[in-house]
Amino acid sequence: MFFKMLKEDVDVVFDQDPAARSYIEVILTYSGLHAIWAHRIAHALYKRKRFFIARTISQIARFFTGIEIHPGAKIGRRFFIDHGMGVVIGETCEIGNNVTVFQGVTLGGTGKEKGKRHPTIEDHALISTGAKVLGSITIGRGAKIGAGSVVLHDVPECSTVVGIPGRVVVQNGKKIRRDLNHQDLPDPVADRFRELENEIRQLKQELRRKEREDEL
């Protein structure tokens, strides 16, 4: 079972990364795969209460890959980390099957609270470059988190979230594609700025009109 899971970790690279050319290349050069394999071993030791050696393995993996996964995190099958530099996954994080994350993603906590303090990521979710998912929240099955988003609340399944703070912009399968186009996401922050610019323009026009009336 364990070795079958390791093989699945390799196979998912070919499914998700068109740059993958051969098994030997993937096994020897993919830092995301190395981090996941190190975590599989560290997590097995962690469950046996070998906390020190588990944490040591995770820190060695962090040094060589730039990816920090706490050995207590629960990660499902066919987990894919694309590039991966700067990825951080906290102790009580739970990740389902067929989940993809990109570089710079943080699955972290929001303070020093005890117990479950990191996110739960359900099956088939995708978390894009630089996104921060914080706190004991749930990212629903098939949800997509846009690049650079900061998510602090639960996300329904089959939804797309963008912005700071993260907002659901697509839900229930409408306008959702399997492959998230990072540069073509709605931007609620930019939309709000445009609204403010329009309001300022209207206020200036009203002020000029008042000034002309006063001159008369």
Side-chain angles (χ1 to χ4, degrees):
M1 180 66 179
F2 182 75
F3 290 101
K4 181 180 179 181
M5 185 178 296
L6 298 185
K7 184 178 184 302
E8 288 179 345
D9 291 334
V10 176
D11 290 339
V12 75
V13 174
F14 290 97
D15 293 337
Q16 297 290 333
D17 187 356
R21 295 181 177 85
S22 67
Y23 277 96
I24 191 68
E25 177 189 27
V26 169
I27 291 171
L28 293 181
T29 66
Y30 274 64
S31 59
L33 180 64
H34 300 158
I36 293 168
W37 280 355
H39 174 74
R40 304 283 190 209
I41 297 169
H43 184 65
L45 292 167
Y46 188 88
K47 291 193 297 184
R48 291 170 174 78
K49 300 188 184 301
R50 304 293 180 87
F51 301 125
F52 177 76
I53 186 63
R55 196 61 190 265
T56 299
I57 290 172
S58 73
Q59 289 301 297
I60 292 172
R62 176 180 179 270
F63 177 81
F64 284 105
T65 66
I67 299 167
E68 181 173 349
I69 308 177
H70 193 285
K74 299 176 182 178
I75 297 178
R77 299 167 70 171
R78 297 178 296 279
F79 180 52
F80 178 56
I81 301 175
D82 193 6
H83 297 292
M85 178 62 70
V87 168
V88 177
I89 299 175
E91 179 184 12
T92 61
C93 190
E94 298 179 20
I95 299 175
N97 300 322
N98 300 296
V99 171
T100 297
V101 304
F102 289 81
Q103 66 269 24
V105 165
T106 298
L107 306 178
T110 56
K112 297 181 179 179
E113 66 272 19
K114 300 293 185 180
K116 183 74 167 71
R117 60 191 185 278
H118 298 102
T120 296
I121 314 297
E122 295 186 346
D123 298 348
H124 302 284
L126 184 150
I127 305 177
S128 298
T129 304
K132 313 301 177 188
V133 183
L134 306 176
S136 181
I137 62 176
T138 298
I139 306 301
R141 179 184 176 91
K144 296 176 175 64
I145 309 302
S149 300
V150 177
V151 184
L152 303 173
H153 302 286
D154 291 346
V155 174
E157 65 179 25
C158 297
S159 300
T160 298
V161 171
V162 299
I164 303 174
R167 303 178 186 179
V168 175
V169 294
V170 178
Q171 191 173 353
N172 297 327
K174 296 180 181 179
K175 298 181 181 179
I176 287 182
R177 297 187 298 271
R178 176 63 185 90
D179 297 320
L180 186 62
N181 188 345
H182 293 224
Q183 71 270 17
D184 194 29
L185 285 169
D187 189 344
V189 176
D191 291 343
R192 183 54 182 159
F193 275 123
R194 282 190 288 270
E195 291 176 5
L196 291 172
E197 287 176 353
N198 289 333
E199 291 177 8
I200 291 171
R201 189 178 301 111
Q202 292 173 5
L203 288 171
K204 286 182 176 179
Q205 290 173 352
E206 180 67 19
L207 181 59
R208 284 195 292 268
R209 187 182 66 82
K210 294 290 290 183
E211 288 174 346
R212 286 195 296 267
E213 290 179 354
D214 291 342
E215 290 175 357
L216 296 175

